Amino acid sequence: MRGFLATACLLSMLFGVLLCADEADGGAQVREARRAAERRGPAGDDREDRAAVSDEPAAELEKPKPKKKKTPQEVEAAKARKAAEKEAKAKKQRTPKPTKKPKGPKPTKKPKQPKATKKPKAPKKPKASATASATAAATAPPDTKPLTQPSTAATTRRAAAVQPEWEEPEEPDLVRRVPDKKGATTPEVIVYIPDEITDAPFPVPWYEEYDYDDLAKKKQEEEEEQARKEKAEKAAKAERQRKKWEEEEEERLKNVSQPPEPKKCPPLGLESHRVEDDQLLASSQSQHGFAVQRGRLNMQGSSNDEDLYGGAWCAEPEEINSWFEVDARREVEFSGVITQGRNSELFEDFVSSYFVAFSNDSRDWTILHDGYAEWLFYGNVDRDTPVLNQFSWPVVARYVRILPQSWNGSLCLRAEILACPLPRSHRSENEVRSSDELDFRHHNYKDMRQMMKVINEECPNITRIYNIGKSSQGLKMYAMEISDNPGEHELGEPEFRYTAGLHGNEVLGRELLLLLMQFLCTEYKDGNPRVRRLVDGVRIHLVPSLNPDAYELAFEAGSEMGNWVLGHWTEEGYDIFQNFPDLNSILWGAEDRGWVPRFVPNHHIPMPENFLNGSMAVETKAIISWMERTPFVLGANLQGGEKLVTYPFDMQRPQISLSDSRRWNANDEMSEDTWARIQRQNEGALRETPDEVMFRWLAMSYAHSHLSMTEVQRGSCHGDDVTRGQGVTNGAGWKPIVGSMNDFSYLHTNCFEISVFLGCDKFPHESELPVEWENNREALLSFIEQVHRGIKGVVKDVEGNALANATISVEGIRHDIITASGGDYWRLLNPGEYRVTAKADGYTSETRLCVVGYDSGATSCSFTLAKSNWDRIKEILALNGNRPIRVVPKAGEGKPTPHGATAASALSPEEQHAAAQRAERLRRLRILRLRRLRLQKHRGRLPTTPATTTTTPATTTTTAAATTTRKAQTTTSWYDSWFPVDNLPTENPFDSIIFDSVPTEDYPFHFTID
């Protein structure tokens, strides 16, 4: 125990000694640091102060790494390199947007002070004690690093080199004795080297002050310049690439054979019916109304889908493989197919895709390939628009088949085949070629005007160009006059007109009139006697286009590609042919009431008031004005879509009902003509004109001069042959319409006009124009010559002055005409004898017997009218209360010849005229007697009140009966001058008439027009 206590005491004493040694070593270290500070001087003090007051933590002073020591030059170079990198990084700062003022860069932090360089280690003092070393390390300042080295001669010398000349005596505390193994102690010198603090390499700010506005502008300019350069480089690169591709494409095309362009061929003739019915064949048909013959392009079906005339060929619905076949009857080059859907207002049926196959014997068929597979053609997307599919190369064959693959609704089809004939060494018997050197092509508005101008320049002595008005789009409706004295109406020369283009898509008439202009000009110069006779004897007017706006639409679509209605109407939507005033209803209503000709004339019926301000096309107004100012005698309008000639009336006359018949019978006012019409109303006579026979002759003169219009085997284009092989029909019997151009021309003017439908194809191909010209040339000339059929003459007074607007009446024909401004007239009549009467206001009428022969040329039948005093007689009657005055007969004048005696005895023309006047007077007397008897019957049925008489000494007052009667309406008719007062009979015909009786009561007729 004692030993343990002794050991503890020794240990505590030893620990105390060690503490004292550490304190001594700490004091020595303080004194050594103070001497080092005095040697460094003021600069060192400042650096130490800065190091002492630095805000940086002491941890930043890292211990030296065991790396290779760098030289001061390398350190300075590294610092300069880092500063340059920072400056370059600052310059690359993002340029602010030009719209805002750029912000300056944030101030950089103050650079850290570089670490102090290490001083060479002081040599260790020999035999320094460990206690002294520990004490020195504990008492070392925090910013210094103790370096413990063994004491060698080198370190001693290095330490002696840095010491000043004078040396402070060493304190014993700063030297620590370290005992060695032998027990000797070696002094160890501890040297504390403070860290050197170096100044920053750049005392001034490292960045420059920039003008950021100029910098942004310069930056933007640089970017734009760079963008331009890049764009130019891209464009140049693209151009080089394009040229390279073009060169490669040219090289490829040189090596690859190009397919030929599709050959353009005319239609084979399905629409125009040049392909006959027996050339068409199909796999089946859905019903009898949709046979293969109905599969022609633009075939029109009837409104009743159950009849024999459907709007297309339709296959059996349950059939798997359907086909439509066409036989060309000889080998041709097929170049394309045109398809169309079914014509129907209720169904949308059409073929949307199909194959095409060919054969030479109708047994072995080859489907057309496109080089890779069977060529599938895409068809229609609606039922009306034609779709053309052309082959890349023509196929030579005789038969062609259309194999439908897909369709909408039912499988229905209308088609046209394009084919070119192969050259042949011989000419076919049925082939028609024109011998006239004319311009056989389609002409648009500009070409038409140019051609008319050329013709006028070639034949200026017989041609004149003028326009009858403008269309709704401002295009002029040009007309050409061909006459020996153009621009002037010659006395005794009739006026004739041909018009075409009422419907813009019916272009054949337009081209035929242009060809007729060329033909007349050429043949007149060549001395053709027939043409010279026509030009010298007739004033011919040719209007090729009455609807120029619509024609431009159809021309743009082209032949075969415009449907049935494209270009049919005007720009405003009017059908010009049906846009005229309805004068038929006015005439027929007046005839039913017995107002013709007393109140309503049977010719030149005036148009209803304000009709021109109603729904009428601009073109129609221009045509009416042209008709009224030119005394046309004969005319024809050329149309298309059918092959026949129609004549008036085009409007169906309404039938009289049984109630109307009873009303007329009860009133006893039905005329004989009305009764006869009622009897004939079931016999098809409701559409006849008074000149029915003449109109039929005119229509047949054109139809029978046409080369193919009267072919019995041809039939109609779309339905039954209503002409029965004659090529002519009444318009109302075929397609009744209201307000037609033909009816208006007949009832409002002197002109007899018909409609000529030239063919089934409204817009034929140019290759068909020579054939159509040959078919119609003779008919066109022959119809112009019919203007001389009938009678003509001049109506004058006794002084030789021409009487304009004089009425020419033909006995037995209830349609009159009037004279032109020069007093001349032309009345179309068939051969025969006619009693013709000329009448004029203020003149005595004259009747003559005119004979029309079979020779060419009209019969001359002129009239000379004497003035009458009937106007004076009317004035005298008005002075006497419109009562007839008894006329004292002349002495020696005999009684009138009984009626009918003139027929048995030979009388002079004057005596015949007087007898006719007396017969007319007797007829009027009979009418007056009948009216008096009816009046008496009527008065007998009316209740009467007896008169009351009151007598007074001064006056007598008489109260008449309570019967009320309407006041008679006195009417002075324009035809009162028909009955002259010359040679009045000795007996007064009015003696038997009671003039004190009440006037005749007129029936309250109400005239309305539906």
Side-chain angles (χ1 to χ4, degrees), residues 592 660-661 664-665 667-672 674-675 678:
D592 292 342
D660 294 336
S661 178
W664 288 112
N665 290 330
N667 293 333
D668 198 16
E669 282 291 328
M670 182 179 295
S671 63
E672 295 180 0
T674 303
W675 177 255
I678 295 174

Side-chain angles (χ1 to χ4, degrees), residues 693-759:
V693 179
M694 187 65 211
F695 270 116
R696 189 170 181 83
W697 168 262
L698 294 173
M700 293 184 69
S701 68
Y702 193 100
H704 287 254
S705 300
H706 195 278
L707 296 185
S708 62
M709 192 171 287
T710 56
E711 293 177 353
V712 180
Q713 75 278 6
R714 178 188 55 82
S716 175
C717 293
H718 307 283
D720 284 329
D721 184 11
V722 295
T723 68
R724 299 175 183 177
Q726 297 299 315
V728 300
T729 185
N730 177 267
W734 178 45
K735 290 182 179 180
I737 57 176
V738 179
S740 71
M741 182 177 179
N742 296 344
D743 291 357
F744 177 83
S745 178
Y746 179 67
L747 296 177
H748 190 68
T749 67
N750 291 341
C751 184
F752 287 32
E753 186 159 4
I754 63 174
S755 295
V756 180
F757 292 83
L758 298 167

Side-chain angles (χ1 to χ4, degrees), residues 126-129 176-187:
K127 298 180 181 180
S129 63
R176 187 174 48 187
R177 304 287 179 174
V178 179
D180 52 5
K181 293 179 180 181
K182 296 180 179 181
T185 60
T186 304

Side-chain angles (χ1 to χ4, degrees), residues 4 65 189 194 318 357 470 578 715 764 781 819 834 959 971 976 996:
F4 178 75
K65 297 180 181 180
V189 181
E318 298 179 358
K470 292 184 178 181
Q578 306 179 30
L781 299 176
T819 58
Y834 300 93
T959 303
T971 304
D976 286 342
D996 295 334

Side-chain angles (χ1 to χ4, degrees), residues 905-955:
S905 60
L907 300 177
S908 62
E910 291 78 6
E911 292 175 349
Q912 292 179 3
H913 181 59
Q917 290 179 345
R918 285 192 295 269
E920 185 64 28
R921 287 195 204 94
L922 292 176
R923 190 184 69 83
R924 295 192 67 188
L925 288 175
R926 286 196 300 270
I927 294 175
L928 291 175
R929 292 192 187 97
L930 292 174
R931 295 184 67 183
R932 180 167 57 87
L933 292 175
R934 287 196 299 269
L935 178 61
Q936 290 176 358
K937 292 179 182 180
H938 182 65
R939 291 179 63 184
R941 289 194 298 265
L942 292 176
T944 59
T945 303
T948 57
T949 304
T950 304
T951 305
T952 60
T955 60

